[in-house]
Amino acid sequence: MSTDDREVAMEPSPIAPAAIARTSPQSIAMMRRRRLLRGIGRQALLQALCIFVAITVLFPIVYVIGVALDPRNIARPDGLNLIPPNPSFDAFSRAIAKPSPNNISFLTLAFNSLKLAVATSLVSVAFGVSAAYAFSRLKFKLRSFLMIAVLAVLMLPAVATIAPLFVLLNGIRVGDFVLRNSIPGVALALISGALPFAIWNLKGYLDTIPKDLEEAAAIDGCTRNQAFIHVILPLAMPALAVTAFLGFVAGWTDFYFSWMFLDHPQDFTLTMALYAMVGQYASTTPWNVLSAFAILVSLPVSVVYLFFQRWIIGGLAIGGVKG
Amino acid sequence: MSAQAKATYVPKRRLFGADARVAFLYLIPAFAVMAIITFYPLVFQVWMSFTAFGPQNLNLKHPAPLDWVWLGNYIKILTNDISGIPNYDFFRIVSFNLFWAFSNVIIHLILGVAIALLLNQKGLLGRSFYRAVFVLPVVIPPIIVATVWHNMFDQSNGAINYLIAIIGRQPPGSVNIAWLTDPGNPIPFFPLLPLSYFALLAANVWLGWPLNAVVATGALQSIPKDLYEAVEMDGGGAWTKFRYVTLPFLRPAMLPYAIYGFVITFNLFYLSFIMTNGGPFGRTELLVTQAYRLVNQQQLYGVAAAFSVIMFFILLTLTIITNRLTKATASYVD
């Protein structure tokens, strides 16, 4: 602020030199002091506002960590203990040892969630990137029709296709194996939404890669496939990583398909256990264990998100997410 | 490479020969998968919506004969005649859902822009620290957010009631507001909004404004500084700067994002499903949560399919309206 004022004052103007000439050294010092005080007051106001916003943002996060670290092992918090004395990780070890009355270990739950996350991520990116390339670079009949078909699917929330997916996947059986009632079945349901999103998101990024690079490759004798693999794919790495990560999050945090489709406890996922803790087992689940469990579920996703947020939010701005 | 050289070396847009055949090869993996698990289920959904498909039709060995009810499911949904769902009222759900999405997006936008402006103030100390803190809600999965806020709004042990007690200098446990279940109307004679709406709103405002602030920050940084200097030279104050420089630059960046946020909030599943469970008395039910209940709890697959088809048309209408709005405002700005 102060530097700017000086700049304005130094602008050549017919009044300014006379005004400066008339002011005594004392009044200049007073003006400086007043300006300094005004700067401090303004900074204090800005800091107060920022700190207030920061407190509202941090409150639920500090709260849930505080409940998880409370050493007293009580079923419900008896007050607002944001920073509990003598924090302990007991709740975390209990959340890992026996997260639900089902006797399914945390590792089994996490492994099932991981399978969903990896399958959704890999399939949607691997199949999506070639289709995105075709939409971005090639001219063909039905191009706009197919693109609209992909967009129309994106507009629908995932919940809106759950009834037909349930019935159709339920019909695919080999002996006792029912595709609906299995991790691969849930993964297929997730991919049905993640793949159109991946196509749309990757197309948006491929559109920003200059065509000149492929032209240069063509002149050097590359075929279309070689240009795609050796020129486009390496350049699209950031977008591929972001799309893969968003697919991973979709699988890791999926709730409605797993909750709807899976019957066998050994197939259950982390989010299902989490929901059971606030749903059917709410009365018997201590909140410190629940909080520790919630932190453990969100930690892998949140940490990656936090470190790569600049790229991820950029990717989001191009594509938009299917809710 | 000059335009001349480009024209000589690349006479046609086809660089690598026939596009159509290559396009087919590039599209086939994704579209083969989507044909089976994305597009076919959608067609099947429309077919199913004309039947009374229920659990009795799921048995493959001895399937019950399928009842064709034609528009029966649609009529049931629109006339609130679904057996087994207490407190079901289609038009209340649609009105609540629209109000929910509008109120959230407006608050998200105002807070997002205001906080972006705050962070953009010259000479703000600790700017990068605040930026890192303010983006935290974005990185937490919504299902976790819903679970945590569900407990925070708990009647007897919730953090919000404890906080109110502390602010009011009362012992913990003395404040017993039933945020999520109170059946009264906080706004007299306006039964659309129960107390749990405000709890949901608080959670979603917490969740929603940071991404708006990120988008607004990007737009703010693209405003040329000399425009502000020009306003200063003309003797304009802070309000003039905001009204005639900041706002016109923010609008084109924020509007598409507001529409995107509207659709996301309109379909926001977790907060309603986990925090309030649609309560009290189904008054915070959204279209998506109701659709899920029809499948998951009532197992009315045919009705659920019809419900999803209706939802599709509601979303289509909203998309068309918002697209018109964007175009109308875009031409106004330019």
Side-chain angles (χ1 to χ4, degrees):
Chain A
M1 190 74 186
S2 57
T3 49
D4 275 49
D5 290 353
R6 212 174 301 139
E7 271 167 27
V8 173
M10 269 154 51
E11 290 289 330
S13 103
I15 316 156
I20 288 169
R22 256 190 275 118
T23 45
S24 62
Q26 286 95 333
S27 67
I28 287 176
M30 259 180 68
M31 265 169 64
R32 274 204 190 128
R33 217 171 63 210
R34 205 179 298 154
R35 197 175 285 162
L36 186 72
L37 282 174
R38 213 198 310 150
I40 290 171
R42 183 173 164 279
Q43 186 66 249
L45 178 71
L46 290 178
Q47 289 298 330
L49 286 170
C50 280
I51 287 168
F52 175 74
V53 176
I55 287 172
T56 65
V57 167
L58 287 173
F59 180 71
I61 300 170
V62 173
Y63 163 76
V64 75
I65 296 172
V67 173
L69 292 179
D70 198 311
R72 291 170 299 162
N73 194 20
I74 44 175
R76 298 280 185 273
D78 56 357
L80 205 53
N81 302 311
L82 290 182
I83 299 158
N86 311 315
S88 97
F89 284 94
D90 269 5
F92 285 89
S93 46
R94 286 175 64 200
I96 289 171
K98 194 173 185 292
S100 74
N102 271 332
N103 265 331
I104 303 298
S105 75
F106 183 87
L107 275 181
T108 311
L109 295 168
F111 192 53
N112 289 335
S113 290
L114 189 70
K115 283 187 218 162
L116 285 180
V118 170
T120 311
S121 168
L122 286 185
V123 174
S124 62
V125 169
F127 287 45
V129 70
S130 76
Y133 180 75
F135 279 124
S136 171
R137 290 296 199 273
L138 302 170
K139 268 191 171 171
F140 50 93
K141 277 182 201 168
L142 295 177
R143 185 178 176 281
S144 48
F145 171 77
L146 290 177
M147 201 65 228
I148 288 170
V150 170
L151 278 177
V153 176
L154 273 182
M155 204 183 69
L156 268 178
V159 173
T161 53
I162 204 161
L165 280 169
F166 182 88
V167 171
L168 289 171
L169 293 171
N170 195 59
I172 301 175
R173 295 160 188 238
V174 184
D176 282 342
F177 174 82
V178 185
L179 186 58
R180 182 265 304 167
N181 189 9
S182 71
I183 297 275
V186 178
L188 279 177
L190 285 165
I191 291 163
S192 87
L195 183 53
F197 168 71
I199 294 177
W200 174 242
N201 199 21
L202 290 169
K203 183 206 173 271
Y205 189 83
L206 294 185
D207 283 347
T208 66
I209 297 176
K211 283 206 177 73
D212 302 12
L213 296 163
E214 280 158 290
E215 283 167 7
I219 291 159
D220 290 346
C222 265
T223 66
R224 169 71 74 183
N225 291 336
Q226 284 169 331
F228 173 63
I229 292 166
H230 298 295
V231 179
I232 297 297
L233 281 187
L235 285 171
M237 257 326 169
L240 290 175
V242 167
T243 314
F245 173 70
L246 293 176
F248 186 93
V249 175
W252 183 260
T253 63
D254 168 66
F255 165 74
Y256 21 77
F257 286 119
S258 345
W259 186 258
M260 174 79 207
F261 287 10
L262 300 172
D263 299 333
H264 301 313
Q266 73 269 19
D267 293 332
F268 285 0
T269 61
L270 288 171
T271 48
M272 290 170 77
L274 183 73
Y275 179 66
M277 287 176 171
V278 286
Q280 61 191 121
Y281 304 130
S283 53
T284 53
T285 307
W287 283 14
N288 55 351
V289 176
L290 170 64
S291 300
F293 192 77
I295 293 168
L296 288 172
V297 174
S298 87
L299 211 56
V301 168
S302 302
V303 167
V304 176
Y305 216 139
L306 207 55
F307 278 106
F308 299 101
Q309 42 155 309
R310 189 184 302 172
W311 293 273
I312 295 167
I313 291 172
L316 284 179
I318 295 173
V321 210
K322 197 178 163 74
Chain B
M1 196 192 285
S2 72
Q4 191 76 43
K6 218 177 204 172
T8 10
Y9 281 111
V10 192
K12 289 177 190 171
R13 275 200 73 258
R14 287 182 189 168
L15 281 171
F16 302 94
D19 269 3
R21 208 180 309 145
V22 186
F24 179 74
L25 290 174
Y26 274 80
L27 289 173
I28 199 74
F31 274 84
V33 171
M34 284 202 297
I36 300 168
I37 60 171
T38 310
F39 297 119
Y40 177 59
L42 288 174
V43 176
F44 186 74
Q45 166 135 295
V46 177
W47 175 82
M48 228 164 76
S49 73
F50 299 121
T51 72
F53 207 105
Q56 75 277 7
N57 303 101
L58 284 174
N59 191 327
L60 288 188
K61 283 182 188 136
H62 312 284
L66 198 58
D67 268 348
W68 278 82
V69 294
W70 301 106
L71 291 175
N73 290 332
Y74 293 91
I75 293 166
K76 270 186 185 172
I77 290 166
L78 297 175
T79 56
N80 305 329
D81 184 26
I82 305 174
S83 56
I85 302 186
N87 311 306
Y88 169 78
D89 179 345
F90 181 76
F91 290 98
R92 191 207 56 220
I93 296 177
V94 174
S95 333
F96 178 78
N97 207 338
L98 283 171
F99 191 89
W100 162 250
F102 271 116
S103 53
N104 271 292
V105 168
I106 288 170
I107 297 173
H108 290 177
L109 265 180
I110 294 173
L111 274 180
V113 168
I115 294 168
L117 283 170
L118 176 66
L119 283 178
N120 212 39
Q121 291 298 311
K122 254 181 266 170
L124 173 72
L125 296 175
R127 190 197 313 269
S128 43
F129 167 76
Y130 290 124
R131 245 183 217 150
V133 170
F134 291 179
V135 87
L136 281 176
V138 179
V139 310
I140 301 169
I143 188 170
I144 307 288
V145 173
T147 315
V148 171
W149 282 85
H150 168 84
N151 280 4
M152 285 182 31
F153 277 113
D154 189 81
Q155 184 179 356
S156 33
N157 304 95
I160 300 292
N161 280 347
Y162 285 142
L163 185 68
I164 294 172
I166 289 172
I167 292 169
R169 292 166 181 277
Q170 278 160 342
S174 57
V175 177
N176 270 296
I177 304 170
W179 291 99
L180 303 178
T181 50
D182 190 295
N185 301 326
I187 305 172
F189 309 112
F190 196 54
L192 192 64
L193 305 178
L195 194 58
S196 56
Y197 159 79
F198 296 94
L200 288 173
L201 188 69
N204 198 37
V205 164
W206 183 83
L207 186 62
W209 71 259
L211 212 47
N212 278 269
V214 171
V215 176
T217 305
L220 285 178
Q221 283 164 351
S222 73
I223 302 176
K225 295 281 174 292
D226 33 336
L227 286 178
Y228 289 115
E229 280 162 23
V231 175
E232 263 173 34
M233 298 279 270
D234 293 345
W239 170 248
T240 323
K241 281 185 205 167
F242 178 74
R243 172 69 186 79
Y244 293 100
V245 181
T246 315
L247 214 53
F249 269 88
L250 276 179
R251 200 124 127 205
M254 294 311 285
L255 207 64
Y257 187 74
I259 288 169
Y260 160 70
F262 180 84
V263 175
I264 292 289
T265 316
F266 192 84
N267 293 329
L268 198 71
F269 179 84
Y270 289 116
L271 290 186
S272 168
F273 193 78
I274 291 180
M275 268 180 74
T276 64
N277 201 14
F281 303 110
R283 282 161 67 189
T284 55
E285 206 76 81
L286 301 177
L287 287 167
V288 276
T289 54
Q290 189 63 71
Y292 192 72
R293 272 179 226 288
L294 284 171
V295 186
N296 189 43
Q297 289 165 6
Q298 273 77 27
Q299 298 192 294
L300 297 166
Y301 303 112
V303 180
F307 198 87
S308 294
V309 172
I310 293 175
M311 240 169 87
F312 173 79
F313 282 108
I314 293 174
L315 282 168
L316 189 69
T317 316
L318 285 174
T319 314
I320 292 169
I321 294 173
T322 45
N323 267 341
R324 286 270 162 80
L325 278 179
T326 338
K327 276 181 192 147
T329 3
S331 54
Y332 171 75
V333 168
D334 295 336

